[in-house]
Amino acid sequence: MTIRAALKDILAGSAFIVFGVAFAAVALTYEVGSTLEMGAGYFPLALGAILALIGVLIIGKGFIAGEGAPIGYIPWRSIILLTAAIVFFGLTVRGLGLVPALLVTLALAGFSEPRAGVVWPIAISIGLTVLSVLIFVVALQLRLPLLGTWLPL
Amino acid sequence: MDLLESLRLGFETALRPENIFFAFVGVALGTAVGVLPGIGPTATIALLLPLTFGFDEPVTSIIMLSGIYYGAQYGGSTTAILINVPGESSSAVTAIDGHEMARRGRAGAALATAAIGSFVAGTVGTLVVVLFAPPLAEVALSFGSAEYFSLVVLGLVTSIALASGSTLKALAMIVLGLLFGTVGQDLYTGTPRFTFGVFELYSGINFVSVAVGVFGIAEILRNLEDVKRRTMLVKAVKGLWLTREDLRRIVAPILRGSALGSVLGILPGGGHILASFGSYSLEKRVSRNPGEFGQGAIEGVAGPESANNAAAQTSFIPLLTLGIPAHPVMALLLGAFIIHGIAPGPNVIMEEPALFWGLIVSMFVGNLLLVVLNLPLIGIWVKMLGIPYRIMFPAIVAFACIGTFSINFNAIDVYAIAFFGLVGYFLVKLGCEPAPLLLGFILGPLLEEHLRRAMIIARGDAMVFLERPISLGLLIAAALALAIAVLPAIRKKREVVFAEDDEP
C-alpha cells in the first residue's frame, strides 16, 4: 500500500507513460487519417495512447498490490562505461579504424567491471583486439580499415 | 511436387559440401557461444547472426543460421546441467534434474541423455514439419489481411500468456515493441516516422541491434551487478556412456516428449516453454517413483529436453508457412530471411523450393552434426565454461559492435545497441520481460500493414475481423489465452510453473 511497495510499478508505469505520450505526440504531427484510410500517424498514435493507458494501470495496480521487492543495486559505473564503450565504437570505427576503436572500446568495457584493476582491462583489451582482428578481418574477410583516415600516417 | 521429389531436392541442397560445412561451423559456433553462462540461445543467435549475412546464396546462410540455432539450444542445456544457469526459460526445466545428476557425479550421463533426446526429438520434429508444412501453406494461401492480423494478435497474446511475471507489464512491453517497429518510412505513404531527420533510420531500427541490446547488453549489466564465483562442476564430467538401465529408462520419456513438443511447438508465442514444463509434469505423473524427480531423475532430463527440441523444430512451421515467428529466435530468423530478400510465408514453398526443402533437410543434418560434434567435444565446451567473466563480457561487447556494424556499415545501428541495452536493462530491473518487446518489434510492421489493408478492403468496417470465420476463431483463441493469463486461479498455477525462472 505504500510508495515503497509500489516503487517498481510506479517507475515502470511512468516509463511506459513517457514512451507512450512521446510516440503519440510525435505521431500527431503526421497525417492521422480515418479508420477507412489510415494515415502514417494512425497506428503509432493509437498504440502510444494504449501504452500510456497501460502505464497508468500498472501504477494503479502497484498501489493496490505492489510487488514490494526492492529494486536492488544499480551498477552505475558499469552502465556508464559500457554505454560509453559501445557509443565510442560507433563514433570512431570509421575515423580511427578498427584497431584503435576496438582497443578503447574493450578497455572501457573492461573497466566497467566493478572491481577491475588497471592491468587486467588493458591486457584484455590488447588480447581481444588481436583476436577480433583475426576472426573478423583475417578469417571472415570483413572489409574494415584497421587504421582510419583520422590518423596522420 | 510430390514429397519424395521434394525431399530429394532438399537433400541435394543440404548435402552440398559448402552447406554441410557451414551447417557444421554454425553448430560449432552456436554451441561455443551458447555454453557461455548468462548468454541464452536468443542472445547467442543475435550475436552470431551478422556472421551469416556475407554469403551470396541465402540458403547457405539460412542453413548456417539454423546450425547456430541447434548449437545454441544444446549449449544452453549444457550450461543448465553443469552450472545450473539456464540461459532461457525452456532449459530451466532441464536444470532441475540435470544439475542434480551433475552434482551426483552423473554429468556425463545427463549430457548424453540431452544429446540423444535432442537428436530423436529433432528428427521427429523434422518429420512433422515435412508432413504438415506444405498442407498448412495451402491453407495459408487463402488467408487475407484480416486473418493475418488476427493471427499476429494471437501470437502476441500467447507470448504474454507464457511470459512470467506481470501480464500488464508484458502487454506494455509488446506495445512498446510495436511502437519501436513503426520507426522508419511508412509503407503506404512514404512519410518518414520518428526518424528525426536521421537518414539511416528511414529503413527502420535494425532488429539485430534491438535483440543484441535487450538480450546481450542488458544481460551483461545484470551480471555486473554481482560478479561472484559460480560453483563449477567441470571436473565431474566423465562417463558419457549410458548404462543399459539408463537407456531403458529414457526411451519412453524421449518419445512422449517428442510427441508433446511437436504439437505444442506449432503454437505461436512460445510453445517450447510450455512443452518442456508440460513434459516434466507428465513424466513425473507417469513415473513409478515420482519422488526421484528433483533428485536427479534421468527421465526429468530426457522428457523436457526432447519436448523442447521437438517444439524448437516444429516452431519452424508457422514461420515457414505463415511468416509468423513463434518466439524471439524465430523472429530473428524472420529478420534474416527478410535481409536476404525472402518474405517467409506460404509462397516460399512454391517460389524457393530449394531453400524450403534444403532448410528442412538441413535441420536433420544439423541435428546429426550436433550429436556427432558435441559428445566427443564436450571437454572443450566444458573448458569454455571456465573462461572468467571479466574476459568474456568485453569480448561479447566487442563482437556485438563489430557484428552489428558489419551488417550495414552504419554507426546508428551501434548506437541503437547501447540504447536498447539501457532500455532493456532498466525495464527488466523493474520487472518487465524483454522477449515480448522483441516479438512486438518484429511483428509490428506486419500487424500495421495487415490492419490497414484489411480496413481499406472492408471500407473501414472493423467488424470484418469478427465476420470472417478463421479470423474470428483466431481472435477467440487469443481472448482465451489472455483470459488464462489473467484469471487468478490459473495464474497461481502459472507462477508455480515458472518458479524456477527467476535465475539469470
Side-chain angles (χ1 to χ4, degrees), chain A residues 7-9 11-12 15-16 19-20 22-24 26-27 30-31 35-45 47-48 50-51 54-55 57-58 61 67 71-76 78-79 82-83 85-94 98 102 105-106 109-117 120 124 128 131-133 135-136 140 142-144, chain B residues 51 149 166-169 171-173 175-176 178-180 182-183 186 188-189 191-196 217 220-222 224-228 388-395 397-399 401-403 405-406 408-411 414-415 417-419 422-423 425-432 444-445 447-448 451-452 455-456 458-462:
Chain A
L7 189 59
K8 264 187 176 180
D9 292 333
L11 289 175
F16 291 127
F19 273 120
F23 269 104
V26 179
Y30 310 132
E31 206 198 321
T35 319
L36 171 59
E37 225 168 328
M38 297 182 190
Y42 194 104
F43 191 67
L45 176 63
L47 287 178
I50 293 173
L51 185 61
I54 301 174
L57 290 176
I58 289 174
K61 203 194 133 232
E67 287 173 29
I71 291 178
Y73 171 69
I74 295 179
W76 289 109
S78 308
I79 292 171
L82 209 58
T83 309
I86 298 169
V87 172
F88 184 88
F89 184 85
L91 279 175
T92 61
V93 62
R94 271 182 204 280
L98 188 63
L102 264 182
T105 296
L106 280 162
F111 281 118
S112 75
E113 199 208 318
R115 279 182 298 272
W120 257 105
I124 290 171
L128 286 177
L131 185 70
S132 307
V133 168
I135 294 177
F136 287 95
L140 295 169
L142 191 67
R143 273 188 224 117
L144 268 178
Chain B
L51 297 185
F149 174 81
S166 159
T167 311
L168 267 179
K169 285 178 183 167
L171 200 60
M173 288 300 263
V175 179
L176 188 59
L178 291 171
L179 278 168
F180 282 123
T182 64
V183 174
D186 175 31
Y188 286 83
T189 63
T191 317
R193 297 188 290 189
F194 310 107
T195 54
F196 305 105
I217 302 300
I220 289 178
L221 287 172
R222 280 191 71 76
L224 286 176
E225 283 173 8
D226 178 26
V227 186
K228 59 175 179 228
Y389 198 67
R390 51 157 58 143
I391 297 183
M392 220 169 67
F393 86 87
V397 173
F399 290 3
C401 289
I402 303 175
F405 183 74
S406 69
N408 295 323
F409 293 95
N410 184 345
V414 180
Y415 305 144
I417 300 178
F419 175 76
L422 290 177
V423 169
Y425 171 73
F426 283 108
L427 288 174
V428 168
K429 194 94 181 136
L430 296 173
C432 306
L447 189 71
E448 181 179 12
L451 171 68
R452 284 164 79 172
M455 292 320 274
I456 292 172
R459 297 176 188 281
D461 179 11

Side-chain angles (χ1 to χ4, degrees), chain B residues 232-302:
Chain B
M232 289 290 184
L233 288 161
V234 174
K235 55 186 182 305
V237 185
K238 53 177 183 246
L240 271 181
W241 295 113
L242 296 168
T243 62
R244 287 181 79 98
E245 167 69 7
D246 287 337
L247 280 173
R248 195 187 56 73
R249 284 176 62 177
I250 63 173
V251 172
I254 285 179
L255 294 179
R256 280 192 292 262
S258 304
L260 188 69
S262 299
V263 176
L264 290 177
I266 303 174
L267 290 180
H272 62 305
I273 305 173
L274 207 60
S276 43
F277 282 100
S279 164
Y280 190 78
S281 22
L282 178 71
E283 290 312 321
K284 200 170 172 179
R285 192 156 303 163
V286 300
S287 170
R288 255 171 274 160
N289 11 329
E292 266 185 40
F293 280 77
Q295 311 290 326
I298 198 166
E299 292 90 346
V301 177

Side-chain angles (χ1 to χ4, degrees), chain B residues 14-57:
Chain B
L15 295 183
R16 286 216 304 268
E18 76 268 23
N19 288 347
I20 293 193
F21 175 73
F22 284 109
F24 184 79
V25 173
V27 171
L29 280 175
T31 316
V33 179
V35 295
L36 301 175
I39 306 179
T42 313
T44 303
I45 293 162
L47 289 168
L48 293 174
L49 198 56
L51 297 185
T52 67
F53 291 157
F55 301 108
D56 297 329
E57 273 208 68

